[in-house]
Amino acid sequence: MVTESTNFTELLNEEPWLSSTRSVVKPDMLFGKRGKSGLVALNLDFAQVIEFIKHHLGVQVEIDGCKGPITTFIVEPYFPHHQEYYLSIDSERLGCTINFSDSGGIEIEHNWDKVKSVFLPTDKSMAVETIAPLVATLPSEVRGKVVNFILGVFAVFQDLDFSFIEMNPFTLVNGELYPLDMRGELDECAAFRNQDKWGNVEFPMPFGRVLSPEEIFIDALKEKSNATLKFILLNRKGRIWKMIPGGGSSLIYVDAVGDLGYASELGN
């Protein structure tokens, strides 16, 4: 991970492979469509990596209507490849939807008609038979590897309490499958049972979201208290302000206020 404070000499000492391996560099932030936005560079040497990062670091970009500066990059080994696959697992109310396509990459949205999906109910176990419809048209020499890969990803998905995983693309290199780009969403409500597995994971702010001074103050109080303190400023000039306990009741109150026609008056 590379930020404004990164010392590239120290980075090279810590990650010596950067001097001998071609790399991929891209923003590591909460927005997609990086390839289509010209924010992914492939097959670079280390000098080119530094040049690309310095050129884009701090630059304001707009993605799907959200504006913000690029502050964080990730540098990964570059894998020359030909075939790109797509995989996503989405947790829903009654189970999980698994999506797969052999036409992955930056045009996945355009090629969404080629994506195959299966739904796995919560009370059912994942099995080879579940995945079979997704990979039925793959060449036989690849099919088994992809099945095992999906089974492994799903096991991690459940074990670490992900609510969403997307690999776009993943590819086959020398008989091994590698995710070339991935994003995941953890279920924050499962933090109590995943402290050892997650480690010191941080839940970053959405791209383009800047905390107000009041929100920063409440966050600081939260760090010093065992109580759950949350504050989201919606409208500084709002006339309706809530002081409500947790457990989801605040959302119920927000819905009620909105149903009464006063959503624009909500302050928090």
Side-chain angles (χ1 to χ4, degrees), residues 5 10 14 20 22-23 32 38 46 62 89 91 104 110 118 136 138 140 191 200 218 229 237 241 250:
S5 62
E10 293 178 358
E14 295 170 0
S20 58
R22 308 293 288 189
S23 300
F46 189 55
E62 181 174 349
I89 305 173
S91 178
H110 180 72
V118 294
L138 292 180
S140 57
N200 296 321
I218 296 297
L229 302 173
K237 297 182 179 180
W241 297 82
S250 59

Side-chain angles (χ1 to χ4, degrees), residues 196-258:
D196 293 337
K197 296 176 183 178
W198 289 0
N200 296 321
V201 66
E202 295 182 7
F203 290 87
M205 297 294 297
F207 176 69
R209 173 88 158 85
V210 179
L211 290 177
S212 67
E214 294 83 359
E215 290 168 323
I216 294 173
F217 177 73
I218 296 297
D219 275 353
L221 291 179
K222 181 179 67 176
E223 295 300 322
K224 302 174 183 178
S225 171
N226 291 326
T228 299
L229 302 173
K230 291 186 178 180
F231 178 76
I232 298 176
L233 181 63
L234 300 177
N235 177 10
R236 191 176 295 278
K237 297 182 179 180
R239 296 188 299 168
I240 302 174
W241 297 82
K242 307 183 306 300
M243 293 183 65
I244 307 168
S249 58
S250 59
L251 298 178
I252 296 173
Y253 275 87
V254 167
D255 287 342
V257 172

Side-chain angles (χ1 to χ4, degrees), residues 26-29 31-40 63 74 106 168 181-183:
K26 54 196 171 186
D28 186 26
M29 301 178 68
F31 63 81
K33 300 181 180 178
R34 293 168 295 180
K36 285 192 171 183
S37 301
L39 298 175
V40 178
I63 306 292
I74 187 170
I106 63 174
N168 184 39
D181 197 47
M182 172 189 155
R183 71 184 182 102

Side-chain angles (χ1 to χ4, degrees), residues 187-196 198:
D187 181 359
E188 188 176 4
C189 295
F192 72 96
R193 67 179 186 184
N194 285 292
Q195 292 180 354
D196 293 337
W198 289 0

Side-chain angles (χ1 to χ4, degrees), residues 64-230:
D64 293 334
C66 295
K67 296 181 180 179
I70 302 176
T71 60
T72 309
F73 289 85
I74 187 170
V75 183
E76 303 169 322
Y78 171 69
F79 290 97
H81 60 280
H82 302 287
Q83 181 70 49
E84 294 186 332
Y85 303 97
Y86 173 86
L87 173 67
S88 68
I89 305 173
D90 192 6
S91 178
E92 302 176 15
R93 184 178 181 85
L94 299 177
C96 292
T97 295
I98 300 100
N99 301 301
F100 171 79
S101 174
D102 59 1
S103 298
I106 63 174
E107 298 296 339
I108 186 62
E109 293 178 354
H110 180 72
N111 293 321
W112 196 254
D113 59 322
K114 299 179 181 179
V115 174
K116 299 176 182 178
S117 303
V118 294
F119 180 76
L120 181 66
T122 302
D123 60 347
K124 301 293 183 181
S125 298
M126 173 65 86
V128 173
E129 293 74 18
T130 308
I131 303 171
L134 301 178
V135 300
T137 58
L138 292 180
S140 57
E141 63 271 17
V142 175
R143 194 179 308 147
K145 293 181 181 293
V146 173
V147 167
N148 289 334
F149 183 78
I150 296 176
L151 288 172
V153 172
F154 188 80
V156 172
F157 179 87
Q158 287 193 311
D159 182 54
L160 296 182
D161 283 301
F162 277 92
S163 58
F164 180 76
I165 275 183
E166 181 181 60
M167 295 182 180
N168 184 39
F170 69 95
T171 192
L172 187 68
V173 178
N174 297 326
E176 298 292 335
L177 287 163
Y178 294 93
L180 301 182
D181 197 47
M182 172 189 155
R183 71 184 182 102
E185 299 174 9
L186 292 170
D187 181 359
E188 188 176 4
C189 295
F192 72 96
R193 67 179 186 184
N194 285 292
Q195 292 180 354
D196 293 337
K197 296 176 183 178
W198 289 0
N200 296 321
V201 66
E202 295 182 7
F203 290 87
M205 297 294 297
F207 176 69
R209 173 88 158 85
V210 179
L211 290 177
S212 67
E214 294 83 359
E215 290 168 323
I216 294 173
F217 177 73
I218 296 297
D219 275 353
L221 291 179
K222 181 179 67 176
E223 295 300 322
K224 302 174 183 178
S225 171
N226 291 326
T228 299
L229 302 173
K230 291 186 178 180

